[in-house]
Amino acid sequence: MSTDTPTTTDDADDVDLEVRVEELEEQLAALEADTDDRKKMTIVATQGTLDMAYPPLILASTAAAFDWEVIVFHTFWGLDILHEEKSRDLKLSAVGNPSMPMPNALAALPGMDAMATKMMRKKIDENGTATIEELIDLSLESGVDLQACQMTIELMEYDEEDFYDGVTTGVGAATALQHMAESDVQLLV
């Protein structure tokens, strides 16, 4: 007996298989259509000095200009960047800064941080560089999610109303970690 002729059971299996393949192709097409091709970036800002406030805000606003989804999670001293009052008075530390054109022994003298800060603010102003407040406004307008670590808010005894309008408060490390896991770029500043 020849097996060249398919039986009706084989035909039914083939039809079921074809229907299943079509269903899977439709599901795959729907998933591909739902995929967000936007790049994602998470920046963790941990330092609150004048010179360290600029990198996360510049990177975030630039990435947002390229239509990236951006979150900047501010924790510990980095939280001062988002604090309306403290952000206006961020200092530049002369001690331990290898780019500072003076030895640490001289940088440690009283008044050197104030002098370095004054010089940097003058340079920022003369260059027409955006202020921290302007970069925060630009970032928020561009859709950057500026987040304030809830644990740090409590630790520093800050009030949530102390932050710029538009800052996301009540965010914990677990939320930040989840976004980092989904991000194309993760930076610690």
Side-chain angles (χ1 to χ4, degrees), residues 79 83 150-160 162:
L79 199 57
H83 191 281
Q150 186 62 40
M151 184 200 72
T152 307
I153 291 172
E154 293 168 8
L155 178 68
M156 303 295 186
E157 297 179 351
Y158 289 159
D159 190 342
E160 290 184 7
D162 294 340

Side-chain angles (χ1 to χ4, degrees), residues 47 49 51-52 92-109 112-113 116:
Q47 300 181 42
T49 58
D51 55 328
M52 293 308 292
L92 179 67
S93 179
V95 177
N97 188 337
S99 296
M100 199 54 72
M102 67 179 81
N104 278 335
L106 184 60
L109 292 173
M112 293 306 281
D113 283 352

